[in-house]
Amino acid sequence: MSTNRSSRRNRIILIVIIVLCVTMITMYARESDSGPIHKVQDVFMDVISPISSGFSKVFKPIKDGFVNVFRLPTLARDNAELEKKVDQLRRENIEAVELEKELEELKKLLNWGEEHPEMETVGTDIIAQSPDNWQRLMVIKKGSSSNVQKYMAVVSASGMVGRIISVGTFSSVVQLITDSRSGVGARVQRSRETGIIEGMNSDVLRLVPMNEEADLKVGDIIETSGLGGTVPAGIAIGKISKIKKRTEGLSELVEVEPFVEFSKLSDVLVIITPEPESVILKGTQ
Amino acid sequence: MSRKRQAILGLFIITGFLLQISVVPHLQLFGAKPDILLVLAIVVAIQDGPTAGAATGFIGGLFQDMMSPGYFGVSALTKAMAAYMAGLLKDMTITYSVLLPLIITFALTFFEQTVFMASVAILGQEGIPPFALLDVFISSVYNVLIVLLLYPLLKRLHFETKDKSMVLSDSHVKQVERDLQ
């Protein structure tokens, strides 16, 4: 008797939970970015950010221990320094090639007065990452109080990291370029072929060229094209690691290895100006 | 469930959530990572019953949903369902084998991840990641490793926080012995 009553109670509780979840899912899907659940999410992130940041610091030795489990501490330190130097040299090299290309274009146009627009950035820590396996997101410690807005580009010393997709007062969510929902306008530095860099929820990216006969080679450096208006042009993304020829009728699969090592990322820069076009348009409405 | 155990579980949920967003992302193997909150919900379901497990899964999932723009409510739903099923499976099985929690955790991690992806697909979310069977498998194995740590810990706390009303006093024991004679 009491077992029957208990199992009926269990079923009722499960039904209540399911109804509650379905209601929340529906409400969230129907409301705008300024809706009540979105606001609750923003407030929650603002509250959890400092706690998560502290937690992250407390558990840093465990994180580092796991990453360096097979390395001696000195080797890990040396390696980090070397990687930093390689990143710097690579960045300088990319910048030099980029300047050379720009110079050529400027020469052709006989427009020596054109100046490269300076980007204003704001530096921040990463305080949390996506809790599930199906999204590549991270939370940063800067929000609307630091002039961060939706769709702004996020970069590191190595290159493009992602874009802001949600903004709280003191924290924001960044969608990484490796997220399968991410698409960023890109171009090949050598041949200037354009395309879209898409995430695949893995450590590599996919380049979808605009032109089926695009001039692409393994090792080509990919950078942002600026097309689409959300990310400034000329930010390094990665290099082509594999080109798989497909059968007739299908475009080739171009894999790009990003320069940014997302698992080791701790500090990033948000590009405040130039503002994404979508933000400017929103402001004028 | 006693108030003390409820408080301890609340603490476990918060700690598990903070670990999930700050430490676990660094423990990825081939792109997959463990899900501490799911394991916690399954363990609670096995030890305290399906309803307690579903409630733990719901609260833990809701915490995760707060950090996931785009899928609000889905984690809460899938974790509650998986934990409830874990409780039911435990009730239906007459065994004290130590393998049971491991098998249930493995199977229900697989189930939870699949239902999560299916729910996201039904919701029409753009750019749904391809369902990576290897990721799900590694996650399931990872969760089995977590359950090896979490299960004995919560089991120990389970006895320490058990309701006193549930424990028979000496006079009760003597009464039962007399009745049996």
Side-chain angles (χ1 to χ4, degrees):
Chain A
M1 187 79 168
S2 78
T3 314
N4 280 345
R5 203 180 301 151
S6 162
S7 78
R8 205 173 68 183
R9 189 176 140 264
N10 284 353
R11 272 201 296 272
I12 290 169
I13 290 174
L14 181 70
I15 290 166
V16 167
I17 287 176
I18 291 173
V19 170
L20 208 62
C21 288
V22 172
T23 310
M24 284 190 305
I25 292 167
T26 315
M27 277 175 68
Y28 189 79
R30 289 172 71 91
E31 74 176 25
S32 67
D33 281 0
S34 54
I37 301 180
H38 284 80
K39 275 185 183 157
V40 171
Q41 266 188 326
D42 292 344
V43 170
F44 182 84
M45 273 194 303
D46 286 341
V47 171
I48 217 77
S49 298
I51 304 168
S52 167
S53 180
F55 218 74
S56 209
K57 276 173 193 156
V58 169
F59 282 93
K60 196 175 183 298
I62 296 172
K63 285 191 306 195
D64 292 348
F66 189 83
V67 172
N68 300 321
V69 72
F70 296 116
R71 301 180 199 167
L72 289 167
T74 49
L75 278 178
R77 201 163 45 237
D78 291 349
N79 194 32
E81 277 173 21
L82 284 170
E83 278 177 2
K84 211 178 276 179
K85 277 182 187 166
V86 169
D87 274 345
Q88 193 183 344
L89 288 170
R90 189 189 283 144
R91 202 174 59 246
E92 282 173 8
N93 189 33
I94 292 165
E95 278 170 8
V97 175
E98 183 59 32
L99 282 171
E100 203 179 319
K101 290 274 181 192
E102 198 176 319
L103 198 64
E104 279 173 25
E105 283 175 16
L106 287 170
K107 270 181 186 173
K108 282 178 194 168
L109 294 168
L110 293 174
N111 186 8
W112 289 91
E114 189 183 328
E115 287 177 5
H116 195 71
E118 280 189 16
M119 294 176 197
E120 191 191 327
T121 59
V122 57
T124 175
D125 299 337
I126 294 158
I127 49 174
Q129 294 197 31
S130 174
D132 58 62
N133 278 320
W134 310 112
Q135 299 180 94
R136 295 287 190 270
L137 308 173
M138 49 179 59
V139 182
I140 54 169
K141 215 160 72 177
K142 287 281 190 293
S144 54
S145 62
S146 306
N147 297 326
V148 172
Q149 295 184 57
K150 204 172 173 180
Y151 305 122
M152 281 180 169
V154 179
V155 296
S156 77
S158 309
M160 183 73 191
V161 172
R163 264 186 304 201
I164 304 283
I165 56 163
S166 178
V167 185
T169 314
F170 304 108
S171 60
S172 309
V173 179
V174 181
Q175 181 183 57
L176 304 184
I177 51 171
T178 49
D179 188 286
S180 62
R181 291 170 296 173
S182 164
V184 177
R187 69 181 173 211
V188 181
Q189 195 181 57
R190 179 183 57 82
S191 61
R192 314 309 269 183
E193 295 279 3
T194 55
I196 295 168
I197 278 284
E198 292 180 345
M200 299 198 289
N201 268 18
S202 68
D203 293 338
V204 288
L205 305 164
R206 178 172 57 197
L207 174 68
V208 182
M210 290 293 179
N211 176 9
E212 280 186 18
E213 303 296 319
D215 175 15
L216 305 169
K217 282 179 188 168
V218 171
D220 271 351
I221 287 166
I222 308 296
E223 59 184 16
T224 55
S225 64
L227 297 175
T230 54
V231 180
I235 300 171
I237 295 175
K239 64 177 178 186
I240 296 178
S241 56
K242 204 184 279 179
I243 301 174
K244 283 184 194 164
K245 295 284 176 196
R246 294 278 187 89
T247 48
E248 225 172 294
L250 288 168
S251 57
E252 56 195 3
L253 179 69
V254 184
E255 281 188 6
V256 174
E257 190 186 321
F259 289 138
V260 176
E261 282 190 73
F262 292 96
S263 60
K264 293 178 183 171
L265 212 53
S266 56
D267 298 291
V268 290
L269 295 170
V270 183
I271 298 175
I272 303 292
T273 52
E275 279 185 55
E277 276 172 22
S278 46
V279 174
I280 298 166
L281 286 172
K282 207 175 164 187
T284 55
Q285 278 168 3
Chain B
M1 194 194 292
S2 68
R3 286 273 164 94
K4 195 175 173 189
R5 183 156 172 88
Q6 283 176 2
I8 287 171
L9 286 180
L11 208 65
F12 266 74
I13 293 173
I14 293 166
T15 312
F17 169 69
L18 290 170
L19 282 172
Q20 189 69 34
I21 59 169
S22 58
V23 179
V24 170
H26 298 272
L27 309 182
Q28 282 187 30
L29 274 181
F30 305 106
K33 55 194 169 199
D35 191 335
I36 296 174
L37 292 169
L38 176 64
V39 177
L40 180 66
I42 290 172
V43 170
V44 171
I46 293 171
Q47 293 180 0
D48 298 84
T51 312
T56 308
F58 174 73
I59 297 165
L62 211 55
F63 271 119
Q64 284 198 353
D65 286 329
M66 288 286 187
M67 300 294 286
S68 306
Y71 305 137
F72 194 85
V74 180
S75 275
L77 178 66
T78 55
K79 281 189 173 55
M81 280 170 65
Y84 191 84
M85 283 180 72
L88 287 185
L89 284 173
K90 169 69 177 57
D91 288 348
M92 285 191 294
T93 320
I94 308 166
T95 175
Y96 291 100
S97 168
V98 287
L99 287 175
L100 186 69
L102 308 184
I103 295 166
I104 289 179
T105 304
F106 184 86
L108 287 170
T109 302
F110 221 94
F111 167 81
E112 195 265 347
Q113 303 260 301
T114 313
V115 174
F116 185 95
M117 287 313 300
S119 309
V120 171
I122 291 166
L123 284 170
Q125 189 75 43
E126 282 175 29
I128 299 164
F131 183 70
L133 212 61
L134 183 68
D135 284 6
V136 176
F137 179 80
I138 296 168
S139 267
S140 305
V141 174
Y142 233 151
N143 281 359
V144 168
L145 295 177
I146 301 273
V147 94
L148 285 170
L149 298 170
L150 210 55
Y151 192 86
L153 182 65
L154 276 170
K155 188 82 184 167
R156 193 184 163 88
L157 290 169
H158 185 59
F159 284 119
E160 283 177 6
T161 59
K162 210 165 186 138
D163 270 348
K164 280 182 182 159
S165 58
M166 297 289 288
V167 182
L168 287 175
S169 64
D170 288 345
S171 59
H172 282 121
V173 174
K174 280 174 189 162
Q175 178 68 45
V176 172
E177 281 172 356
R178 269 200 301 276
D179 290 348
L180 285 171
Q181 281 164 7

